[in-house]
Amino acid sequence: MLDQGMNVEIIIGDSAKDRVTLQWALMSRAAAHKITNGGDMNDGSFLPTLQKLGFRRVTFSDGYNESWSYTLDPPDEADAGKIVLAGMGIGEALMLK
C-alpha cells in the first residue's frame, strides 16, 4: 500500500487474532472500495487473501470516527486435512495395513 501512497498501519487485534484493522488518517469509503476492488472475493484479491490467513473480520478505519468492515468466512482448520486430500484428488486418507 505504501507503493500506492497509503501510509496504512496494520493492527491485528483481539485474543483470537482473527481481526485485522487497516488504519490510515485519509481512509475513506472510496479508499476501502479501491483496496478491496469493490469487495471482490475472487482468488488473488485482497479480501480472500486475508480470509485464507484466517481472519474473520477486516476493518478499514481513519483512526478517528469512520470505519468500514467486511466479515470473512475462513475455512475451518479442523477439516484442513480433508481439504488438502480433496485438492490432490484423494477422497479419504490412505490406510496402511
Side-chain angles (χ1 to χ4, degrees):
M1 289 182 209
L2 282 175
D3 289 342
Q4 297 175 9
M6 296 182 217
N7 187 19
V8 175
E9 180 180 0
I10 299 172
I11 304 162
I12 298 175
D14 96 6
S15 61
K17 308 285 189 243
D18 64 352
R19 296 172 186 259
V20 63
T21 300
L22 285 79
Q23 186 172 298
W24 178 40
L26 301 177
M27 188 65 74
S28 65
R29 189 171 133 221
H33 182 82
K34 181 178 178 180
I35 292 168
T36 64
N37 196 22
D40 184 7
M41 290 301 291
N42 291 318
D43 281 341
S45 296
F46 187 75
L47 292 175
T49 301
L50 292 176
Q51 181 172 277
K52 286 179 184 176
L53 292 173
F55 290 109
R56 295 189 178 283
R57 186 164 184 88
V58 58
T59 303
F60 297 87
S61 172
D62 65 3
Y64 302 103
N65 300 321
E66 298 292 325
S67 65
W68 303 267
S69 298
Y70 290 88
T71 301
L72 306 175
D73 188 23
D76 184 5
E77 290 184 15
D79 291 331
K82 290 180 183 177
I83 293 170
V84 170
L85 290 174
M88 294 173 16
I90 302 170
E92 295 293 326
L94 300 173
M95 303 298 272
L96 299 175
K97 293 185 180 191

